[in-house]
Amino acid sequence: MNNQLEEQFQKLSQSYLNDVDSNCAQHLHKDCFIIPLIASVTQGIMTAVPEQVANILDANIAPEVLLEVLYQLVPVIGTLKVKQALERVNSVFEERKITLTPVESEADENMEHKFKYNYMAPKLKIC
C-alpha cells in the first residue's frame, strides 16, 4: 500500500477505533479476546489459535463459551476449519488440564427417538 493510501486509511479508521476504545470497552471486554480467534479460524490461520485460546482462558472466559463460539462458526466456514481449530484448542485444554463433560441435550434425545421410531421400528402395513 502506498503512503498516501495508508495515511488515508489511518485517518478514516482512527476515529472509529478511538470511539470503540472509549465507548465500548465495558461491554466488549470478552469480545476483544474472542474476535481475534474468530478471525484466525475463519481465515484458516491455525498457528495463532493456541495463543489466542490461552489469552481467552487467562481473561477468565469459560471454556464452554470459547467452544460455543467455534461451534457457531460451522455454518459459516464449514466443519473442516472448525475441526482444525478444535484440535489446537484441545491441546491447550490438555496443557491446562481442563476437562469438560459432555452434556446430552433434549434435542439429542429427541433426534435419537425420531431415528429409532422412523428408521428402526418395523413398518406397519395398512391394508
Side-chain angles (χ1 to χ4, degrees):
M1 189 181 304
N2 70 35
N3 288 339
Q4 186 179 5
L5 287 175
E6 191 172 338
E7 288 174 19
Q8 186 179 13
F9 175 74
Q10 284 292 69
K11 192 179 214 180
L12 291 171
S13 62
Q14 196 57 50
S15 62
Y16 169 75
L17 294 173
N18 289 340
D19 185 51
V20 168
D21 286 343
S22 63
N23 295 316
C24 303
Q26 291 291 329
H27 73 278
L28 289 179
H29 174 71
K30 290 182 179 181
D31 292 349
C32 73
F33 294 99
I34 293 173
I35 289 171
L37 176 67
I38 294 169
S40 292
V41 174
T42 301
Q43 296 171 13
I45 305 170
M46 300 304 164
T47 56
V49 170
E51 182 180 351
Q52 292 166 338
V53 169
N55 291 340
I56 289 168
L57 296 172
D58 291 344
N60 294 320
I61 298 171
E64 295 84 0
V65 171
L66 184 155
L67 292 173
E68 183 63 28
V69 166
L70 292 176
Y71 297 156
Q72 294 296 328
L73 290 176
V74 170
V76 179
I77 64 172
T79 57
L80 179 62
K81 285 183 180 176
V82 173
K83 184 179 178 197
Q84 291 170 341
L86 288 173
E87 290 169 358
R88 284 154 179 83
V89 169
N90 191 47
S91 68
V92 175
F93 283 8
E94 286 175 358
E95 286 174 13
R96 293 180 177 226
K97 299 187 181 358
I98 296 172
T99 56
L100 302 171
T101 53
V103 178
E104 189 171 303
S105 70
E106 287 182 31
D108 294 337
E109 292 171 10
N110 289 339
M111 285 303 294
E112 183 177 336
H113 173 74
K114 286 178 184 178
F115 178 78
K116 285 180 182 176
Y117 180 77
N118 289 326
Y119 300 105
M120 302 300 284
K123 300 292 182 188
L124 297 175
K125 289 187 177 182
I126 300 175
C127 298

